Amino acid sequence: MASISRSYEAFRTLQTPESKPLILFSAPAVEIAQWSGVPERRRLAGEETAGFQREQDPGRVRELARFFKDHRNVSQNPLLGALQDEAKVHFKESSPGSSFGYLEIIYEDYSNVPLLELLERLTRRLEERVSALRDSAVDEDRVALLLERESQRGAPSDSDEDEQSGDSGSDDANETISADEEGDDANNALLAEETHLADFYAELKARIRVLQHLGIDDAEEVQGFTKAALLGYLKPVVLVDGQHRLRGAVVSAEELMETPEAEESIMESVQSGTEPDVAGKDLLLKKSRHLPVSLLMDSSPSEHVFQFVIVNQKAVLMGSALLGTIISTSLGREELQSVRERLKGAGIRLEDSQAIAYLTRAEESPFRGLVQTGVSGDRSDLLKWSVLQSLVTVFRKLQGGRPYHERTDYARAWKAEYLFSCGLVSGDTLDEKFADWSRPDGPWRDIFIRFYAHVRDYFGDTQELDTYNAWGSTANSNLFNKISLTILACDYFDFIYTQGEALESMGDFDITLQKWLKEGRVSASYFSRDWRLEKVKKDQLVVKRLWSQNWHEYRKVPANGLPRRFKP
């Protein structure tokens, strides 16, 4: 397949002797769009991709297009890019040792690359990042499901905007598939910390199998996976920051092509012997403004994510849910390790993000698929990321375990008095035992999962989302909300502290759960009644204290009967 080469005058600089070079140059926006990709964090047919960029905001693009239409307006901030295919991007010195030279970028006419080949290229790229993926089996059940959907809608074709943005109406929109269900135990363990990359890889492989089964090489999309989205991972340069500026500049140039003056110019070129397509492309290039670019000559995905996080968290803050999702699910284990200390030094709480992201995705977690990720398409009634983070803090950091109606932090008190004797942790000192306990995958995680799974199974309704004890929707549930979930966690630590339970084993923990709920004497219908809270603001301190005291008193003495008062 023929390659296209572009060359730009450029300047190379090093910020420190240890850093990778930065190449500073400018290029027409329409050319930048041809050789740079934007790996977005988005949903395709209900499945999250492994990118790190936020989804494009059409409103911002329109605003920037209007801004760029005025030729007097200048955007001084450069687009920030990095290498994605280092074999296709080269800086050539104008003379030996000079910082001045030319940047050469080689790319293809991607419109001529079949969809099947794009899928295969991307799977190979993921295999290079996480070698264990090569050994994972294709999920045949997933392939069968995709084939069934494909047969229902006919041959692959252009998807509409809703499908591309992941707003699939399918009942299976939130379904995730393990990439290695049929693999050996060792491979399962290896991929446990790279769940999301494995899921994304599995979806790619499944769609390859679908196209092969149908005997189709090319289409604009297959079951929500579009060419445009896949190219974000495959072009020679990845755009780390500035996607809206770039798209706005391209739209501005395209709109200038629709003026009578542009049509007249094209006609003059055609009359002088130029092919119409060539005349149109030449004029578009002429109308396109040149944008400054700062290109980091580093092709490691971990560096790309690091740069994106630093730019967006230090300059324009993004939501904690999306930030946490991006940090902890865009990279494999080894890739995360390479930037762990740098993220920590920049004030990014990587381990918190890892811990929470696991609980939103793990098969055994009672919160799987029920927490907002910050990706477009989240249901509004899902639990907020920040709420899950606060619950995790109680169990993982053993702090924040103070009932709303009391002053004692029972999680902190249990740590001080009983963690040293806990049989679930190792170490010679309390600090060493706490470090073992609080690892992202430390003993706290199993306890957290089993505690809330028990709460869900004992009190909750997982079938209907409009019941008072619904598990999975915050809309009307007395149970699935920040206040109740926090009250239950604090009360459990109150119980094991006052009972002197050091948790010698997980079996010991299971026994404490039974004792905590008085061996079943605590009513399973506690949260399933109408608390008549229509006009009550749940997050008021007086409400939280009342709910906390109601639960605390009832759980200790169930014989006194269920509380009757839930609003002040």
Side-chain angles (χ1 to χ4, degrees), residues 83-193:
L83 296 185
Q84 192 155 248
D85 187 342
E86 56 188 9
K88 295 182 178 179
V89 183
H90 308 280
F91 176 77
K92 298 180 179 179
E93 300 173 349
S94 56
S95 60
S98 175
S99 296
F100 294 92
Y102 293 87
L103 183 72
E104 183 183 36
I105 300 177
I106 302 169
Y107 62 100
E108 303 172 41
D109 180 357
Y110 296 103
S111 63
N112 294 325
V113 182
L115 177 61
L116 179 60
E117 185 176 337
L118 293 178
L119 289 165
E120 290 171 340
R121 288 189 192 183
L122 185 48
T123 57
R124 288 195 295 270
R125 183 157 289 184
L126 289 177
E127 288 168 354
E128 292 171 359
R129 291 174 57 182
V130 182
S131 59
L133 291 174
R134 296 188 182 95
D135 301 323
S136 59
V138 176
D139 190 306
E140 298 298 342
D141 291 339
R142 183 61 171 167
V143 174
L145 176 62
L146 293 176
L147 279 169
E148 180 182 352
R149 292 179 183 172
E150 198 70 16
S151 65
Q152 290 172 353
R153 71 160 197 152
S157 62
D158 292 355
S159 60
D160 60 28
E161 291 183 2
D162 286 344
E163 286 175 319
Q164 290 185 22
S165 64
D167 294 331
S168 170
S170 166
D171 292 337
D172 299 293
N174 291 322
E175 180 181 355
T176 54
I177 301 296
S178 170
D180 55 342
E181 284 182 359
E182 302 175 12
D184 57 40
D185 291 340
N187 200 40
N188 286 338
L190 181 61
L191 288 177
E193 293 185 30

Side-chain angles (χ1 to χ4, degrees), residues 483-501:
I483 301 174
S484 292
L485 295 175
T486 301
I487 286 170
L488 293 171
C490 295
D491 186 61
Y492 174 74
F493 275 100
D494 177 354
F495 173 78
I496 61 173
Y497 173 77
T498 55
Q499 295 295 314
E501 298 283 358

Side-chain angles (χ1 to χ4, degrees), residues 432-477:
E432 290 176 353
K433 289 178 179 288
F434 178 64
D436 187 44
W437 169 274
S438 60
R439 287 180 290 108
D441 60 347
W444 74 270
R445 193 169 75 182
D446 284 342
I447 287 177
F448 181 94
I449 289 172
R450 289 164 79 160
F451 175 80
Y452 280 112
H454 188 75
V455 167
R456 175 198 63 192
D457 297 341
Y458 193 92
F459 295 109
D461 181 350
T462 60
Q463 302 302 313
E464 301 291 338
L465 295 182
D466 58 354
T467 56
Y468 293 117
N469 62 330
W471 185 271
S473 171
T474 62
N476 300 304
S477 179

